[in-house]
Amino acid sequence: MARVAGVSAQTVSRVLNSPATVPEATVSHVRAAIEQVGYVPNRLAGGLASGRSRLVAALVPAIASPVFLETLEALTQTLAAHGYQLMLGESGYDDADEIELLENLISRGPDGIVLTRVLASEPARQRLARCGIPVVESWDLTATPVDMLIGFSHEAVGARVAQAMRDRGVRRPALITGNDPRAQRRRQGYAEELVRLGRLPSTSLLPAAVVDAPAPMGSGRRALADLLRQHPDIDGVFCSTDLLALGALIEARERGIAVPEQLAVVGFGDHPIAADTSPSLTTVRIDGRRIGTQAAEWIVQRAAGQRVDDRVQDIGFELITRASA
């Protein structure tokens, strides 16, 4: 291959394994030679020789969830630029099987593990800490990360939405939420801030509909219908995902409820169609691309034996105010 391309074997290796470190013209030239001869690199042999698998494992609660798409796209692209492949797995929303799931990942010898969560169980945390594999927890915050962490506070998200409801003039706020742990922390921040703002007498009195995660749009419709049967005077609802919020918008329209005049609706995640609904959806935007890019860069640095000093980053969030609230 090196002879056909007219370059050294080391250059071919760098093009295959770390194309970002090679001039673009050289990469194009070597890849053209690879295509000409039909060469297929033996990744397994290369991994055994170098002691690196060139694989990074990532776990998401639900592969079909649109919330994590930007993160996965940025993670894949950044890793590929450094010659790594992404191995994607689904963890679900139940923490009960964390140890077994992590054991299966570790046994495949990845060069890094990216989790779109923080680990809940101490045995799982200790197992990952002992394995020696670089780990990035993301889409959350904790004071005690296993290794590296990039995310935001779900409690702060809930509190910010409560403030937006107050600013909108909502007097009887409600909630539609998934039953996953992070959504429940957003619920906690929302309810506590509503109490502080005088919009709720007690956190236990927040009108709420809880649905199984991951929840489709139809769950939002049914949840709003249930809320209105029990609490017909609610005038604002925070939904734990944009899909639930979109379902609530549809149900409100079917019932002739004007949004936001009679019912303010706020989502979470800034789904690609959130800006194009009628009315457009007010929601919380998370920079998923930044999370994926940073996680990949940390993994690549650590796999190369480099030190990562700033191992915890709180990237915050943005409330995108549109027509629904």
Side-chain angles (χ1 to χ4, degrees):
M1 173 51 58
R3 179 176 56 81
V4 173
V7 298
S8 68
Q10 182 180 16
T11 297
V12 173
S13 176
R14 288 169 59 203
V15 168
L16 292 173
N17 296 314
S18 303
T21 66
V22 183
E24 186 175 340
T26 303
V27 171
S28 298
H29 177 68
V30 172
R31 285 179 174 166
I34 289 172
E35 184 175 349
Q36 176 186 336
V37 302
Y39 173 69
V40 178
N42 187 330
R43 298 290 185 186
L44 177 59
L48 292 173
S50 66
R52 291 159 65 182
S53 66
R54 291 281 173 182
L55 286 175
V56 172
L59 283 179
V60 295
I63 291 175
S65 172
V67 173
F68 303 107
L69 290 181
E70 278 192 344
T71 294
L72 294 176
E73 183 179 66
L75 188 61
T76 300
Q77 292 172 348
T78 307
L79 288 173
H82 293 277
Y84 287 81
Q85 298 295 313
L86 184 68
M87 178 172 61
L88 183 61
E90 186 173 81
S91 64
Y93 289 90
D94 187 354
D95 296 340
D97 300 324
E98 276 187 338
I99 284 287
E100 181 179 356
L101 189 60
L102 292 174
E103 289 291 356
N104 288 335
L105 279 185
I106 293 168
S107 69
R108 286 162 172 76
D111 287 334
I113 296 175
V114 179
L115 308 171
T116 53
R117 65 196 294 181
V118 295
L119 287 178
S121 71
E122 190 57 31
R125 291 167 47 79
Q126 291 178 3
R127 179 66 183 94
L128 265 190
R130 291 196 305 267
C131 74
I133 298 173
V135 176
V136 180
E137 295 166 285
S138 66
W139 278 85
D140 210 337
L141 282 183
T142 176
T144 56
V146 171
D147 187 2
M148 297 170 283
L149 171 68
I150 179 167
F152 58 94
S153 167
H154 290 270
E155 292 86 352
V157 167
R160 180 65 187 90
V161 173
Q163 293 161 11
M165 290 290 189
R166 184 270 315 271
D167 295 343
R168 177 69 205 175
V170 169
R171 307 300 303 180
R172 286 285 289 158
L175 177 77
I176 298 174
T177 180
N179 58 359
D180 57 287
R182 284 169 296 193
Q184 291 304 303
R185 291 208 298 281
R186 293 197 290 277
R187 173 182 184 164
Q188 176 187 343
Y190 180 62
E192 289 179 352
E193 185 67 5
L194 287 173
V195 170
R196 192 188 73 81
L197 294 172
R199 290 299 195 268
L200 194 66
S202 167
T203 58
S204 63
L205 296 179
L206 174 67
V210 181
V211 302
D212 290 335
M217 197 179 300
S219 293
R221 289 198 63 174
R222 291 185 290 273
L224 180 59
D226 289 343
L227 277 173
L228 290 171
R229 275 193 293 271
Q230 300 175 53
H231 308 277
D233 59 341
I234 61 172
D235 59 352
V237 61
F238 173 34
C239 302
S240 66
T241 69
D242 281 354
L243 285 181
L244 288 173
L246 293 172
L249 287 179
I250 294 172
E251 185 64 22
R253 172 171 289 185
E254 286 294 308
R255 291 169 174 263
I257 297 172
V259 176
E261 292 81 7
Q262 294 173 274
L263 181 72
V265 179
V266 179
F268 173 84
D270 199 19
H271 191 285
I273 68 171
D276 299 316
T277 59
S278 181
S280 56
L281 181 63
T282 294
T283 186
V284 176
R285 162 86 175 139
I286 308 299
D287 192 346
R289 178 163 293 278
R290 179 178 171 187
I291 290 175
T293 300
Q294 184 62 77
E297 290 176 350
W298 276 342
I299 293 291
V300 170
Q301 285 179 252
R302 289 283 295 279
Q306 300 172 14
R307 179 175 174 175
V308 173
D309 292 319
D310 187 14
R311 297 187 301 111
V312 177
Q313 290 189 19
D314 179 355
I315 66 167
F317 54 87
E318 182 181 4
L319 180 68
I320 307 295
T321 302
R322 298 193 180 106
S324 70

